[in-house]
């Protein structure tokens, strides 16, 4: 049994049993992958995949168990590699972050700028996606960190740490009737067409919950994952925008009027997370601390070491209660 063979079966499983796609991802040939899978199956004496002609059709019961252990073994192999690199060259390596558009566009630039100034030899990789996609990337080892606000139920395999609270604002064009209101109410907002985030992105659930609690159903005429797209349609007169406060730029958005809305909605919390048991290099701890100053190495290790998921969540929630809203 070779580590390379385990890489092959893992990648094939992750690619929906598409051997060609797995071979491309592994920078090798499709016949080579197929041959190594067969050699591994012959050595183990069981089939990992069922076949329909020349194609893999499904994972066998034995294969499912083997793939579970394979994923753990590959994760530990990556830990060994990271440990060696940490002692060989502390400040050199790679850091892959999976997050949403809003975090990548508005929250992360100053963090990355500061991090890069301290760790110029660390190569950063930024991937954007939906919360389920982000969670999957981190859980499967394709990203070191997941940063997200919504759908925390998808992140149960990860150690998720609260980073900061944030709230929303309403954007309108100059001269809009809402600019004459001293203090907005949800009823005021619901009286106009709304352009906001797609459900499952950037705290959208908090917005829906607030309206529902007051028996209101806003006329959401367009949704998008990108705050810049929302602003574009507000400018076009499609409706009023509801976006994260952090997504308003006083320089580039001066043609729009920002109206405070933090009194209308409960704050949302952005979390940063990583796989349990993952070896964190020094610069990884520093990235988390740069992103959220309260996430010291001691605090991260303390929460990550808690084996019980319920207790770990409770400790994270206690930490979350101490944060201020941005």
């Amino acid at each position: 049994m070779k580590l390379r063979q385990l890489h092959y079966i893992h990648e094939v499983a992750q690619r929906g049993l598409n051997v060609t796609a797995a071979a491309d991802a592994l920078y090798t040939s499709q016949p080579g992958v197929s041959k190594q899978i067969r050699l591994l199956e012959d050595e183990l004496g069981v089939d990992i995949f069922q076949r329909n002609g020349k194609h893999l059709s499904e994972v066998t019961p034995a294969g499912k168990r083997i793939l579970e252990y394979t994923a753990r073994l590959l994760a530990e192999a990556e830990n060994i590699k990271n440990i060696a690199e940490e002692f060989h060259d502390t400040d050199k390596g790679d850091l892959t972050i999976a997050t949403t558009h809003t975090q990548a566009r508005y929250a992360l630039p100053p963090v990355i700028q500061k991090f890069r100034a301290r760790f110029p030899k660390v190569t950063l990789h930024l991937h954007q996606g939906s919360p389920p996609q982000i969670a999957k990337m981190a859980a499967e080892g394709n990203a070191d960190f997941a940063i997200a606000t919504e759908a925390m139920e998808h992140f149960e395999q990860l150690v998720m740490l609260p980073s900061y609270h944030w709230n929303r604002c309403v954007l309108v064009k100059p001269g809009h009737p809402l600019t004459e209101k001293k203090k907005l109410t949800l009823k005021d907002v619901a009286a106009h067409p709304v352009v906001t985030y797609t459900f499952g992105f950037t705290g959208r659930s908090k917005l829906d919950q607030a309206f529902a609690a007051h028996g209101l159903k806003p006329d959401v005429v367009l949704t998008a994952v990108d705050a810049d797209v929302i602003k574009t349609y507000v400018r076009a007169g499609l409706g009023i925008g509801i976006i994260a406060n952090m997504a308003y730029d006083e320089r580039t958005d001066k043609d729009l009027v920002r109206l405070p809305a933090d009194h209308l909605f409960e704050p949302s919390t952005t979390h940063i997370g990583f796989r349990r048991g993952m070896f964190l290099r020094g610069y990884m701890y520093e990235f988390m601390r740069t992103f959220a100053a309260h996430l010291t190495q001691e605090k991260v290790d303390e929460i990550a070491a808690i084996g019980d998921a319920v207790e770990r969540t409770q400790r994270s929630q206690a930490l979350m209660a101490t944060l201020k809203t941005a």
Side-chain angles (χ1 to χ4, degrees):
M1 183 189 308
K2 300 176 182 177
L3 189 62
R4 179 181 60 173
Q5 293 172 327
L6 298 181
H7 271 292
Y8 286 2
I9 63 171
H10 177 77
E11 193 65 36
V12 166
Q14 296 303 311
R15 302 280 170 174
L17 306 188
N18 187 324
V19 179
T20 301
D24 290 343
L26 294 163
Y27 302 102
T28 187
S29 67
Q30 181 269 329
V33 172
S34 296
K35 178 181 178 181
Q36 289 301 321
I37 291 175
R38 273 298 190 190
L39 288 173
L40 178 60
E41 289 177 324
D42 289 343
E43 179 182 350
L44 296 176
V46 294
D47 286 339
I48 298 170
F49 303 105
Q50 286 186 1
R51 290 162 174 81
N52 184 4
K54 294 183 178 180
H55 301 288
L56 304 183
S57 57
E58 61 181 295
V59 181
T60 66
K64 290 178 182 178
R65 295 296 305 277
I66 290 169
L67 286 166
E68 287 177 11
Y69 282 89
T70 294
R72 297 179 203 171
L73 193 152
L74 292 177
E76 292 300 335
E78 186 66 22
N79 280 342
I80 292 171
K81 178 183 175 183
N82 285 335
I83 291 169
E85 289 177 346
E86 180 69 9
F87 282 89
H88 174 68
D89 197 337
T90 303
D91 297 339
K92 183 178 180 181
D94 290 87
L95 182 60
T96 302
I97 302 161
T99 189
T100 59
H101 170 84
T102 298
Q103 298 297 325
R105 171 68 177 81
Y106 298 103
L108 284 175
V111 175
I112 288 176
Q113 186 177 31
K114 189 180 295 185
F115 178 81
R116 281 285 298 163
R118 180 164 182 188
F119 297 97
K121 294 191 292 183
V122 174
T123 302
L124 288 157
H125 308 275
L126 200 58
H127 298 280
Q128 297 176 49
S130 66
Q133 291 169 334
I134 294 165
K136 188 172 187 287
M137 285 191 68
E140 293 177 353
N142 296 316
D144 299 305
F145 290 134
I147 299 176
T149 300
E150 287 277 7
M152 285 299 109
E153 68 273 11
H154 293 290
F155 296 82
E156 292 178 350
Q157 298 180 57
L158 308 178
V159 177
M160 296 301 292
L161 302 168
S163 301
Y164 66 93
H165 298 313
W166 58 269
N167 218 311
R168 298 144 190 81
C169 63
V170 172
L171 293 184
V172 298
K173 295 175 71 174
H176 192 280
L178 287 183
T179 61
E180 299 176 6
K181 301 286 184 179
K182 289 185 177 181
K183 188 174 183 180
L184 291 182
T185 66
L186 284 172
K187 189 174 181 180
D188 293 332
V189 175
H192 300 271
V194 173
V195 182
T196 192
Y197 296 109
T198 301
F199 188 82
F201 283 81
T202 319
R204 168 65 190 276
S205 61
K206 297 284 188 183
L207 186 151
D208 292 345
Q209 290 165 10
F211 283 112
H214 287 77
L216 298 169
K217 187 174 182 180
D219 179 18
V220 179
V221 295
L222 185 141
T223 64
V225 300
D226 183 338
D228 292 332
V229 171
I230 294 172
K231 296 176 200 175
T232 296
Y233 284 94
V234 173
R235 291 184 175 103
L238 195 67
I240 64 174
I242 303 178
I243 64 170
N245 262 322
M246 72 183 92
Y248 179 81
D249 189 314
E250 292 183 354
R251 295 169 301 173
T252 60
D253 299 328
K254 58 186 177 182
D255 59 327
L256 295 174
V257 180
R258 174 173 61 174
L259 304 176
D262 53 335
H263 61 289
L264 300 179
F265 309 105
E266 287 188 17
S268 293
T269 305
T270 293
H271 291 72
I272 185 169
F274 53 89
R275 297 184 310 283
R276 278 206 76 222
M278 173 182 167
F279 176 78
L280 294 168
R281 297 192 58 185
Y283 63 75
M284 294 178 176
Y285 284 111
E286 283 303 308
F287 180 86
M288 283 189 281
R289 193 181 64 80
T290 304
F291 185 63
H294 61 280
L295 294 180
T296 61
Q297 181 171 344
E298 293 73 21
K299 181 60 68 177
V300 171
D301 287 345
E302 176 188 332
I303 295 177
I306 299 172
D308 182 72
V310 174
E311 183 183 353
R312 191 166 62 248
T313 299
Q314 290 173 343
R315 293 291 288 275
S316 293
Q317 290 174 339
L319 179 61
M320 186 164 60
T322 67
L323 304 182
K324 295 181 180 179
T325 301

